[in-house]
Amino acid sequence: MTKLSVNINKIAVIRNSRGGNLPDVIAAARNIERFGAEGITVHPRPDGRHIRYDDVRELKKTLTTEFNIEGNPIDSFTDLVSEVIPTQVTLVPDAHDAITSNAGWNALKYAGFLQEKVVLFRKLGIRVSIFVDPDVAMVRGAADCGADRIELYTEGYASAYASNREKAIAPYVSAAEEAERLGLGVNAGHDLNLENLRYFIERIPFVKEVSIGHALISDALYFGLENTVQMYMRQIHI
């Protein structure tokens, strides 16, 4: 069964816009768990513009579901993950000034770097996922690096869904099937929402986890956080 991991970065953005601790990111994460989500995702960046490194440390103390930390494994990120020991680390090739994730790894070009990080994190007992585009070659590269899972970057699917959902999903099905053949778990994330999520899960029912933040937190402005979490859960538990 696919798990829902809620990315809480946007809650931290609101807090940081005014200073202080409103909204309380830690309390929000606990509530999201209580409302039924099966994981919490954070993507700390060095400039601390949303989730901060200290948030990550505090979340580790209180979360009861799976904790997924994603980001570019620069030295400071690597040190943080090694200290906190989350359930999962997702390696994402973000530039330091990226607004949001906008591409997967070239798992062939950066194979040596990724393999080094995979070995380090797995020795610590952390499950490792590599963020990739829906490209069979990149899936194979991630497998060669020793990853446990891949996370498929789903912006392309989400952008094309309204015009031709069958065409939009096709490369994701191929990539996911190759991952399953190679023994990799499949996660997915980026721009998944209440409109396109169910079809994605119907076509790739063995997806282990979807990580959703921007759309879910935005929907919560209209529907309330508890109701929104449960609405997303109903999309994936079909």
Side-chain angles (χ1 to χ4, degrees):
M1 184 177 291
T2 305
K3 293 183 176 181
L4 172 65
S5 185
V6 177
N7 187 319
I8 60 172
N9 277 23
K10 287 300 185 296
I11 297 174
V13 168
I14 298 171
R15 177 199 62 189
N16 295 357
S17 70
R18 288 290 295 271
N21 194 39
L22 184 68
D24 185 326
V25 171
I26 308 303
R30 288 198 297 263
N31 282 333
I32 289 167
E33 288 186 319
R34 183 165 58 85
F35 298 153
E38 296 138 319
I40 297 293
T41 291
V42 294
H43 190 143
R45 289 183 168 87
D47 61 10
R49 65 181 183 266
H50 34 62
I51 286 292
R52 300 166 180 156
Y53 280 26
D54 282 345
D55 293 326
V56 176
R57 296 182 177 98
E58 290 302 312
L59 285 163
K60 171 63 176 182
K61 297 175 185 177
T62 191
L63 296 181
T64 59
T65 59
E66 291 201 349
F67 190 19
N68 173 47
I69 306 176
E70 60 181 29
N72 193 332
I74 60 175
D75 289 347
S76 59
F77 179 90
T78 298
D79 290 345
L80 177 69
V81 172
S82 300
E83 172 192 344
V84 171
I85 313 293
T87 314
Q88 177 176 270
V89 59
T90 301
L91 308 184
V92 181
D94 277 346
H96 73 279
D97 57 350
I99 295 174
T100 186
S101 304
N102 55 22
W105 283 99
N106 183 329
L108 305 178
K109 180 177 180 180
Y110 295 101
F113 175 73
L114 290 170
Q115 185 175 35
E116 176 185 334
K117 298 297 181 178
V118 169
V119 169
L120 186 157
F121 291 134
R122 290 194 72 194
K123 281 183 178 179
L124 295 171
I126 304 168
R127 186 172 70 228
V128 182
S129 179
I130 295 179
F131 194 67
V132 295
D133 296 319
D135 181 322
V136 168
M138 296 304 109
V139 173
R140 292 171 182 160
D144 289 342
C145 290
D148 300 289
R149 295 186 184 182
I150 55 164
E151 179 173 331
L152 291 173
Y153 172 48
T154 50
E155 189 274 338
Y157 163 75
S159 296
Y161 176 84
S163 59
N164 189 331
R165 67 180 190 174
E166 291 82 7
K167 183 177 180 180
I169 196 68
Y172 292 87
V173 172
S174 297
E177 288 178 346
E178 180 66 6
E180 187 176 45
R181 187 187 72 80
L182 293 170
L184 290 171
V186 178
N187 298 340
H190 208 282
D191 289 348
L192 295 173
N193 57 37
L194 290 172
E195 179 183 2
N196 59 42
L197 178 57
R198 178 180 289 268
Y199 183 68
F200 192 90
I201 299 301
E202 287 175 345
R203 292 299 308 276
I204 313 175
F206 52 88
V207 169
K208 293 186 177 297
E209 172 190 294
V210 289
S211 175
I212 304 176
H214 183 78
L216 190 151
I217 301 305
S218 297
D219 286 334
L221 297 175
Y222 303 100
F223 305 124
L225 186 56
E226 180 174 7
N227 188 38
T228 300
V229 169
Q230 293 173 3
M231 290 169 72
Y232 275 84
M233 295 285 287
R234 288 194 291 272
Q235 296 302 306
I236 62 177
H237 292 172
I238 54 180

